[in-house]
């Protein structure tokens, strides 16, 4: 399938490219930047939510699934973007958020009218709340004074969870999928899709010794896989080449793998690797090996997204050579590569200096939780640790923005050249076979994929590696001056080499 060799590029719409000077990225801004993305080597775009929304959760609180928010343009603008992207040889996939709707969505507004309303059972209501907590903090239940019942929200109280045990909900979602398939999109990224169902006995969740709640009864529940098989079957029956990728709210590989395979998603985001807080080569090697042996389908390769600190700071510790070597792990590897806007420039995090800089509801909640006890400085510092705005700063294309700008990297031209070269090599040599002989020792990472051998020296010391002698070697790529002599490769500090047996 087309995505097996593809390099995807995630576009967080409001921060990418502003075409009309209002400080908000838009569809026409993306269209203007398609030549830039084409030169980079991008094969497919992933557009984050662009639907009408009150923006409580920056667009992940949808109030209309079959329209676009006017701050991004018109439906016609989006259709033109899809058409132009396809003419440029790029596919387009879109974010869909089916775990919950905005409380401003007409479905929920109808449900509020009466307990007898036909949309009432499209959401989850209880006379009494249990102890379930929202993933954004606080109770997951919100009281409705009119009906004297509580509705369930696994995230913000303005994001009411849909009741997927009601067949009418599923049929409505199928109609939405059909709407966008007819618009010409090439696939879907499903947001927090393992949260789709909750246990029907509504038992309290257990807590650990630190009084932290264990989400045992409100995530990964029985019945969810059956529903997801129906969703994927509907999509594939429309067009078997449509791509589906799942976001699973877990960094446990066994949990993630449950959602990938026959009748399920084409792949899922491997947070077991991509969301790590620091670079640990031994851990990386073990996860790559596990991903290659466990996956029924291709795993995903990514180090950045709209929800986490940028890898320039988080993994590379602002070291351009380390960052350069990480590009190899993303591109010359077994899996589907996902880049996040600006990582090809080595952009750093945007950090809020005060409350007015924060847009992320999760960070705001943390700030207000700690302000009374810890004071302003500590509350801001703690908020920044969980602040998803860190990766959402405006790109350098823009003069002004709805949020502050990402930190520019003085080595951006070098980094961009590295991405272009490695993406081109990926297109030439990939898709890569499952890895074999992957090793990590003394800050040296080495792995095989078919006839391709990758050696990355993250250490401060030069290294010498002996290669197999059965066939001559060809250097495909190198960084920081390694050289090949007979069956030996000599690597200076923080150097990388990719070779191929002829």
């Amino acid at each position: 399938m087309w995505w097996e060799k593809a390099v995807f590029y995630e576009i967080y719409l409001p921060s990418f490219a502003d075409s009309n000077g209002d400080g908000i990225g838009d569809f026409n801004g993306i269209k203007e930047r398609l030549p830039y993305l084409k030169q980079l080597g991008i094969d497919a775009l992933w557009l984050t939510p662009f639907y009408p929304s009150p923006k409580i959760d920056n667009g992940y609180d949808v109030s209309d699934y079959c329209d676009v928010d006017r701050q991004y343009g018109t439906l016609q603008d989006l259709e033109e973007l899809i058409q132009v992207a396809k003419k440029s040889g790029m596919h387009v996939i879109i974010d869909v958020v089916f775990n919950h709707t905005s409380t401003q969505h007409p479905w929920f507004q109808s449900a509020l009218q009466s307990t007898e309303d036909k949309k009432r059972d499209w959401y989850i209501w209880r006379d009494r709340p249990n102890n379930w907590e929202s993933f954004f903090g606080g109770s997951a239940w919100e009281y409705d004074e009119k009906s004297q019942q509580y509705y369930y929200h696994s995230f913000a109280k303005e994001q009411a969870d849909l009741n997927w045990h009601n067949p009418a909900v599923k049929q409505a979602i199928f109609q939405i999928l059909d709407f966008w398939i007819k618009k010409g999109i090439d696939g879907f990224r499903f947001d927090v899709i393992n949260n789709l169902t909750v246990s029907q006995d509504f038992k309290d969740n257990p807590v650990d010794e630190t009084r932290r709640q264990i989400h045992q009864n409100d995530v990964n529940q029985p019945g969810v896989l059956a529903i997801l098989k129906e969703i994927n079957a509907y999509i594939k029956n429309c067009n078997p080449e449509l791509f589906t990728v799942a976001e699973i709210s877990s960094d446990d590989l066994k949990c993630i793998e449950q959602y990938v395979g026959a009748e399920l998603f084409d792949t899922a985001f491997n947070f077991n690797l991509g969301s790590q807080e620091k670079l640990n080569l031994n851990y990386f090697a073990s996860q790559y090996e596990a991903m290659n042996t466990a996956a029924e389908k291709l795993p995903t390769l990514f180090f950045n997204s709209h929800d986490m600190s940028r890898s320039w700071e988080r993994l590379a510790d602002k070291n351009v050579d380390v960052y350069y070597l990480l590009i190899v792990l993303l591109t010359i590897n077994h899996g589907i590569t996902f880049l996040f806007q600006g990582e090809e420039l080595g952009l750093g995090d945007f950090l809020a200096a005060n409350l007015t800089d924060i847009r992320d509801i999760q960070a705001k909640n943390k700030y207000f939780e700690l302000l009374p006890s810890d004071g302003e400085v500590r509350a801001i510092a703690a908020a920044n640790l969980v602040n998803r705005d860190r990766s959402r700063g405006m790109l350098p294309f823009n003069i002004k923005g709805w949020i502050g700008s990402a930190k520019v990297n003085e080595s951006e031209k070098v980094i961009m050249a590295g991405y272009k070269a490695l993406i081109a090599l990926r297109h030439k040599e990939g898709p890569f076979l499952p890895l074999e002989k992957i090793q990590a020792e003394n800050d040296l990472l080495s792995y095989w994929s078919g006839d391709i051998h990758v050696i990355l020296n993250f250490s401060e010391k030069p290294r010498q590696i002996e290669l197999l002698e059965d066939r001559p070697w060809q250097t495909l790529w190198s960084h920081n001056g390694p050289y090949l002599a007979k069956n030996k490769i000599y690597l200076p500090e923080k150097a990388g080499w990719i070779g191929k047996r002829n």
Side-chain angles (χ1 to χ4, degrees), residues 13 43 72 108 151 184 245 320 381 394 410:
L13 248 115
D43 303 295
Y72 303 132
F108 190 76
Y151 68 86
V245 54
V320 68
M394 296 298 290
E410 61 182 18

Side-chain angles (χ1 to χ4, degrees), residues 17 25 83 132 194 230 241 247 422:
Q83 292 169 6
W132 293 355
N194 59 319
E230 289 188 70
E241 292 199 357
E247 181 200 32
L422 286 160

Side-chain angles (χ1 to χ4, degrees), residues 126-341:
R126 299 284 292 170
D127 291 332
R128 296 178 181 177
N130 57 18
N131 77 335
W132 293 355
E133 293 179 355
S134 161
F135 289 93
F136 285 168
S139 174
W141 299 93
E142 185 70 12
Y143 185 62
D144 171 46
E145 188 171 350
K146 182 178 179 180
S147 65
Q148 298 183 10
Q149 285 189 317
Y150 296 81
Y151 68 86
Y152 176 65
H153 58 92
S154 53
F155 293 94
K157 63 182 176 63
E158 295 86 357
Q159 295 168 289
D161 277 44
L162 287 164
N163 176 18
W164 275 86
H165 292 281
N166 185 336
V169 170
K170 181 174 61 182
Q171 292 305 314
I173 296 303
F174 285 171
Q175 292 176 19
I176 293 162
L177 292 169
D178 189 58
F179 175 87
W180 289 110
I181 291 169
K182 288 177 179 176
K183 294 295 181 186
I185 61 92
D186 298 299
F188 301 95
R189 179 263 190 188
F190 287 81
D191 186 62
V192 290
I193 202 67
N194 59 319
N195 289 39
L196 212 61
T197 60
V198 297
S199 66
Q200 291 300 283
D201 55 17
F202 294 96
K203 290 182 179 178
D204 281 354
N205 279 328
V207 295
D208 63 18
E209 62 275 6
T210 65
R211 296 186 179 180
R212 183 176 180 178
Q213 186 159 123
I214 301 169
H215 290 275
Q216 180 174 297
N217 300 311
D218 52 354
V219 180
N220 304 311
Q221 293 302 297
V224 68
L225 293 181
I227 293 172
L228 297 181
K229 285 181 180 180
E230 289 188 70
I231 292 173
N232 277 276
Y234 183 87
I235 292 170
K236 298 298 185 180
N237 285 337
C238 291
N239 183 349
E241 292 199 357
L242 290 171
F243 174 62
T244 61
V245 54
E247 181 200 32
I248 308 302
S249 56
S250 174
D251 58 6
D252 179 76
L253 181 58
K254 290 183 178 179
C255 176
I256 294 168
E257 288 298 331
Q258 294 178 56
Y259 294 87
V260 177
E263 303 181 275
L264 289 165
F265 295 98
D266 292 314
T267 191
F269 286 106
N270 285 97
F271 290 108
N272 58 298
L273 180 75
S275 65
Q276 293 308 299
E277 288 298 321
K278 62 181 180 179
L279 181 61
N280 181 322
L281 293 183
N282 289 321
Y283 177 82
F284 272 35
S286 69
Q287 292 304 303
Y288 278 119
E289 185 174 32
M291 286 160 58
N292 276 258
T293 56
E296 185 175 330
K297 295 190 177 182
L298 285 169
T300 54
L301 307 168
F302 69 96
F303 292 136
N304 294 273
S305 81
H306 63 277
D307 279 337
M308 62 183 71
S309 172
R310 288 185 175 272
S311 63
W312 167 252
E313 304 197 20
R314 180 170 48 90
L315 299 178
D317 197 23
K318 303 179 183 179
N319 184 296
V320 68
D321 291 316
V322 172
Y323 194 75
Y324 218 94
L325 299 181
L326 290 173
I327 305 172
V328 179
L329 297 179
L330 285 174
T331 54
I332 313 303
N333 217 324
H334 178 68
I336 305 171
T337 297
F338 282 82
L339 307 183
F340 177 61
Q341 62 184 44

